[in-house]
Amino acid sequence: MSNFGNFIKAAGIGGGGVNSLEYLRGALCGGSCLAVNTDAKSIEASLAAEKILIGKSITRSMGAGGDISLAERAAQDDLDAIRAALEGVKLLFITASLGGGTGSAVAPIVAKIARDLGICTIAFCTLPFSFEGQTKTRIAENAFKKMRAICNAAIALPNDEMLAESAQANIISAFEKASLCIRAAAGSISNLVSERGLINVDFNSLKNTLQTSAPARAAFSFGSGQGANYVSKALKSFESFPALKSKFSAQKADKLLVGVRTGSDMPMAQLKETLIAMASKFTSSENVSFGVIIEPSFQKRIELTALGLEVSDELFEEPETQEEEKPKETQKKARKTRHNKSVEQNQSEFDFVDVDLKRGFFDDTARNIYGKEDLDVPTFMRRNIKIQVSKK
């Protein structure tokens, strides 16, 4: 193992993110863990080597209570402490449960600090269960879009999909699924760039795979297997990894990093077939980097990892603005205003007089009302649409 582990860090943001650090300790090839939260109880219970309780004067150390703006103010209060904790880091894993206050608000802020420091950042974000309601889902999806725009790679882990795989497990095991997925994923990536392999993948290979000037979605999968038919078991779990079922996940990749960790007992022909099968899940291009680590303790055991980007401007969605959170009626009025403003200011237009004075020639007839609209008034007048007069 190289000493690169000294430059790897996992930052758990908010309650769920901090909880996941318990599973990441020891999985990062010598890397350390950083807990960031607004809740003093969560910070005190964490076993992370570094802890930052943000916004003590704002939240009174009792959490943000799902309040996005309060959590943002708390982070702004301790930006220097967060920045100091990330100094010297080369590879950062961010873990956060989105949909609440601190995770949704602070994870993008930490990611931006990391980006400004030139840190390669990979985020693992869990999304709420569907039964938690539309409000949490909307907050989570908006926060994830921000993470995707900032991080080198942002991977969404839908709780519904992970719970589906653990439907028969007890409640503790079911809720552990996300943390175990993050541990396996972050651990496998850090192993690839830190350990000397049969086929080496260094940090620059990872960074080059995740560097793009255009908006991109992350393509990620992980699978493992052991015992009889361990390779086929691993490929099956690789192809059904929960992140692949998220609408935010890329199903193909323009650039891809593929890694295998296995024992020396694996036949070379089977290794070659496995690498090809993993790459073909996401791409048919030649822009693929392969890494293979031989682990002496892995007899009849294998771990498979793939990480890449699908680059396309069409895939990028801006995070929701405040306008999108307004009631539909307000949005309609805003769109109507924008439409009117979009008409050239110096154009000639028909002038409209009062509707009542311009209903038609049969003023003594009854109004032809449908719903709340007077159908005797032309549509363009009822809806205040400006008609441009062409200039000859």
Side-chain angles (χ1 to χ4, degrees):
M1 183 187 299
S2 71
N3 64 353
F4 183 70
N6 296 328
F7 303 102
I8 299 175
K9 185 167 284 190
I13 315 298
V18 170
N19 289 343
S20 70
L21 294 179
E22 179 182 343
Y23 297 84
L24 281 172
R25 290 186 311 121
L28 300 177
C29 295
S32 61
C33 292
L34 166 68
V36 179
N37 205 354
T38 52
D39 183 356
K41 290 182 179 179
S42 169
I43 289 292
E44 289 168 5
S46 174
L47 298 177
E50 297 177 78
K51 307 175 186 183
I52 303 177
L53 177 60
I54 59 174
K56 292 187 288 291
S57 62
I58 296 171
T59 68
R60 298 183 181 179
S61 305
M62 294 187 291
D67 188 326
I68 297 290
S69 61
L70 187 67
E72 286 177 344
R73 285 166 49 208
Q76 295 296 329
D77 212 38
D78 288 288
L79 289 180
D80 290 341
I82 296 171
R83 188 176 292 106
L86 298 181
E87 289 285 353
V89 175
K90 292 187 180 296
L91 175 59
L92 177 68
F93 296 104
I94 292 179
T95 70
S97 291
L98 304 182
T102 304
S104 303
V106 181
I109 293 173
V110 174
K112 186 179 184 305
I113 292 173
R115 185 182 66 183
D116 293 343
L117 291 173
I119 301 169
C120 182
T121 305
I122 301 171
F124 292 96
C125 304
T126 57
L127 305 182
F129 292 103
S130 55
F131 62 72
E132 294 183 76
Q134 287 300 311
T135 299
K136 270 202 163 189
T137 298
R138 176 178 52 77
I139 291 172
E141 292 185 353
N142 193 37
F144 184 80
K145 289 172 187 177
K146 292 178 182 178
M147 294 295 286
R148 186 173 62 187
I150 298 169
C151 300
N152 295 88
I155 297 142
L157 299 172
N159 275 332
D160 281 338
E161 299 298 340
M162 288 181 287
L163 185 61
E165 291 193 353
S166 310
Q168 302 306 315
N170 63 57
I171 190 168
I172 301 296
S173 299
F175 277 84
E176 279 183 336
K177 185 66 177 179
S179 295
L180 292 173
C181 282
I182 293 171
R183 174 190 170 88
S188 63
I189 294 169
S190 59
N191 283 330
L192 275 175
V193 300
S194 299
E195 296 186 8
R196 190 184 191 93
L198 181 66
I199 303 176
N200 275 327
V201 173
D202 56 22
F203 172 68
N204 286 329
S205 298
L206 174 66
K207 196 169 183 179
N208 290 337
T209 299
L210 300 181
Q211 272 187 337
T212 174
S213 57
R217 281 183 178 171
F220 179 82
S221 190
F222 175 84
S224 63
Q226 58 183 8
N229 302 316
Y230 65 102
V231 176
S232 60
K233 289 177 183 176
L235 284 171
K236 184 177 180 180
S237 66
F238 178 86
E239 291 174 358
S240 61
F241 189 70
L244 296 174
K245 299 173 185 177
S246 166
K247 67 180 180 180
F248 295 109
S249 174
Q251 302 301 314
K252 60 181 181 178
D254 299 293
K255 298 188 290 181
L256 188 69
L257 176 65
V258 171
V260 168
R261 193 179 190 198
T262 190
S264 58
D265 58 337
M266 186 177 190
M268 186 63 199
Q270 193 173 31
L271 174 61
K272 178 183 174 183
E273 290 175 3
T274 302
L275 289 168
I276 292 172
M278 293 168 64
S280 64
K281 172 71 178 174
F282 293 104
T283 181
S284 57
S285 72
E286 297 180 356
N287 198 5
V288 181
S289 298
F290 294 99
V292 178
I293 296 173
I294 301 300
E295 175 61 55
S297 63
F298 277 30
Q299 298 301 305
K300 290 192 178 298
R301 180 180 170 188
I302 192 170
E303 290 181 350
L304 314 176
T305 308
L307 175 63
L309 294 179
E310 180 185 19
V311 182
S312 174
D313 287 329
E314 296 177 359
L315 293 173
F316 186 74
E317 300 172 348
E318 289 287 353
E320 292 178 2
T321 62
Q322 290 298 317
E323 175 189 327
E324 290 175 298
E325 297 176 4
K326 295 176 182 177
K328 290 183 178 179
E329 192 61 36
T330 306
Q331 292 183 38
K332 288 179 182 177
K333 290 180 181 178
R335 284 195 294 269
K336 186 175 179 181
T337 301
R338 284 199 303 271
H339 172 80
N340 291 339
K341 286 184 178 179
S342 66
V343 181
E344 292 181 19
Q345 296 298 316
N346 60 353
Q347 74 178 33
S348 298
E349 298 173 352
F350 283 122
D351 252 340
F352 299 132
V353 296
D354 188 357
V355 170
D356 283 333
L357 301 179
K358 205 68 178 174
R359 289 187 61 248
F361 297 104
F362 305 101
D363 294 331
D364 57 342
T365 60
R367 290 177 179 270
N368 187 12
I369 302 297
Y370 182 81
K372 295 182 178 180
E373 295 188 329
D374 185 348
L375 298 185
D376 288 334
V377 178
T379 304
F380 67 87
M381 294 176 67
R382 293 199 311 269
R383 300 186 180 176
N384 196 28
I385 297 173
K386 302 296 183 182
I387 299 178
Q388 183 174 348
V389 181
S390 59
K391 297 177 181 180
K392 296 182 179 180

